[in-house]
C-alpha cells in the first residue's frame, strides 16, 4: 500500500511568487493534515481536513495560505505571495477515520523562498 | 495549552551503546495520546509508537522500549544496543482526545557512530 506522497520534494522560488504544494494521502484515509517546520523551530500544525471539509484551520499563519481538498482525495496548499519566512519543510499526514487514529506522514516538501 | 519538551537537542553515541531520549509533556486534558516519530536522513516522519493516557504499561519492540510515567509527565524512549541505522531525528508528540492536532517537541538528533 502506498504511503502519503508529496510533490514537489523541493521548491525554490523568489519572494512574491506563488507556489502550490500537493499531498496525496493514503487511499481511504478521510483525515488529512498539513504541518510545517520552519528553520530552527518545532513542527507546527497548520490545518486538518475531514474529507473535503476543513475541520480545523487554527494553525494557518495568514491569508497568504490557501488549502483545498476538492473531492476529499488529494490536497493542495498554495502560498501566494510567498515571503522569506515561509521557507521550511511542509509535511502532510493522513489518518483513517477516527479523530485519534494514528497520523502517517509524507516525506515533506522543502520550500525555499529567496 | 499543550507543550512537549525534548531537552536533548543532540546525542552522540558509539554503536552498541544504549541511549535514552527524553520527552516531557504538559497538558490539561485528562485523556491524551503520546507518539514517537523517527525522521531518518531521507526526511519522512516514520511512526514508531502511540500510547494513550490510560495505558501506562511500558512497551518493548525489539531494541526499542518506551517508558510512560504519568506522575512525571514523561514518555521516554530507549534504544538498546544502538546501530548506525538508528541515526535520525526523533520527535515526541502529543494530541488531545477530543481533537487530533499533534503538538511536537523540538526533536532530538541521534548520531550513532561505528
Amino acid at each position: 500500500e502506498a504511503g502519503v506522497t508529496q510533490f514537489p520534494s523541493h521548491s525554490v522560488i523568489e519572494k512574491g511568487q506563488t507556489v502550490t504544494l500537493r499531498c496525496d494521502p493514503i487511499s481511504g484515509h478521510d483525515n488529512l493534515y498539513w504541518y510545517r517546520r520552519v528553520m530552527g523551530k518545532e513542527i507546527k500544525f497548520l490545518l486538518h481536513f475531514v474529507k473535503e471539509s476543513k475541520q480545523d484551520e487554527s494553525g494557518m499563519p495568514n491569508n497568504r495560505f490557501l488549502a483545498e481538498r476538492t473531492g476529499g482525495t488529494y490536497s493542495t496548499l498554495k502560498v501566494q505571495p510567498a515571503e522569506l519566512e515561509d521557507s521550511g519543510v511542509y509535511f502532510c499526514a493522513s489518518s483513517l477515520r477516527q479523530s485519534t487514529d494514528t497520523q502517517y506522514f509524507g516525506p515533506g516538501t522543502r520550500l525555499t523562498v529567496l | 495549552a499543550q507543550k512537549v519538551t525534548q531537552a536533548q537537542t543532540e546525542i552522540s553515541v558509539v554503536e552498541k551503546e544504549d541511549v535514552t531520549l527524553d520527552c516531557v509533556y504538559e497538558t490539561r486534558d485528562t485523556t491524551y495520546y503520546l507518539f514517537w516519530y523517527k525522521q531518518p536522513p531521507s526526511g519522512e516522519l516514520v511512526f514508531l509508537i502511540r500510547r494513550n493516557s490510560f495505558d501506562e504499561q511500558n512497551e518493548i519492540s525489539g531494541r526499542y522500549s518506551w517508558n510512560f510515567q504519568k506522575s512525571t509527565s514523561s514518555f521516554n524512549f530507549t534504544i538498546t544496543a544502538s546501530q548506525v541505522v538508528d541515526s535520525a531525528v526523533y520527535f515526541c508528540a502529543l494530541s488531545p482526545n477530543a481533537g487530533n492536532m499533534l503538538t511536537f517537541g523540538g526533536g532530538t538528533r541521534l548520531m550513532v557512530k561505528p
Side-chain angles (χ1 to χ4, degrees):
Chain A
E1 180 183 305
V4 177
T5 57
Q6 293 186 243
F7 182 83
S9 57
H10 194 177
S11 179
V12 181
I13 60 173
E14 293 191 351
K15 176 183 172 181
Q17 289 186 324
T18 297
V19 63
T20 300
L21 314 181
R22 173 171 169 145
C23 168
D24 286 78
I26 294 171
S27 178
H29 280 195
D30 286 346
N31 295 290
L32 188 149
Y33 313 81
W34 285 98
Y35 294 82
R36 75 171 180 176
R37 189 182 195 196
V38 296
M39 189 65 68
K41 301 279 185 71
E42 291 89 358
I43 300 171
K44 294 284 192 185
F45 167 80
L46 295 178
L47 89 159
H48 168 213
F49 284 99
V50 177
K51 297 185 180 178
E52 67 274 7
S53 300
K54 291 177 185 174
Q55 178 78 9
D56 180 358
E57 50 184 328
S58 61
M60 293 288 264
N62 53 60
N63 59 10
R64 295 186 294 102
F65 289 75
L66 174 64
E68 294 180 324
R69 193 184 181 195
T70 307
T73 54
Y74 71 91
S75 173
T76 57
L77 180 65
K78 180 190 286 188
V79 185
Q80 179 183 30
E83 298 289 344
L84 299 179
E85 63 265 25
D86 300 332
S87 295
V89 180
Y90 290 75
F91 291 101
C92 175
S94 71
S95 68
L96 197 52
R97 285 188 180 83
Q98 302 301 319
S99 64
T100 49
D101 281 338
T102 296
Q103 295 178 34
Y104 294 93
F105 282 77
T109 293
R110 180 173 294 278
L111 174 64
T112 303
V113 183
L114 302 175
Chain B
Q2 299 189 87
K3 185 178 179 181
V4 177
T5 302
Q6 295 179 253
Q8 307 146 307
T9 54
E10 203 167 287
I11 300 175
S12 181
V13 299
V14 176
E15 208 170 18
K16 297 184 183 175
E17 285 185 11
D18 298 347
V19 58
T20 296
L21 310 182
D22 297 332
C23 173
V24 175
Y25 62 92
E26 296 175 29
T27 180
R28 292 180 182 173
D29 294 312
T30 53
T31 306
Y32 49 90
Y33 291 78
L34 293 161
F35 303 80
W36 276 95
Y37 286 86
K38 172 182 179 180
Q39 186 183 35
S42 52
E44 76 276 20
L45 289 168
V46 178
F47 166 74
L48 294 178
I49 189 171
R50 172 182 121 165
R51 294 307 262 179
N52 74 51
S53 52
F54 292 121
D55 184 359
E56 287 192 71
Q57 282 192 356
N58 292 330
E59 178 145 345
I60 298 174
S61 176
R63 296 183 297 105
Y64 295 173
S65 62
W66 291 269
N67 183 354
F68 176 29
Q69 294 206 346
K70 222 168 172 177
S71 60
T72 56
S73 297
S74 65
F75 186 43
N76 297 337
F77 172 29
T78 297
I79 302 175
T80 303
S82 59
Q83 299 177 1
V84 173
V85 293
D86 295 327
S87 297
V89 181
Y90 291 86
F91 292 94
C92 181
L94 168 69
S95 74
N97 188 47
N100 39 27
M101 175 185 78
L102 288 173
T103 298
F104 282 88
T108 297
R109 179 177 298 277
L110 173 66
M111 292 177 290
V112 182
K113 299 177 181 177

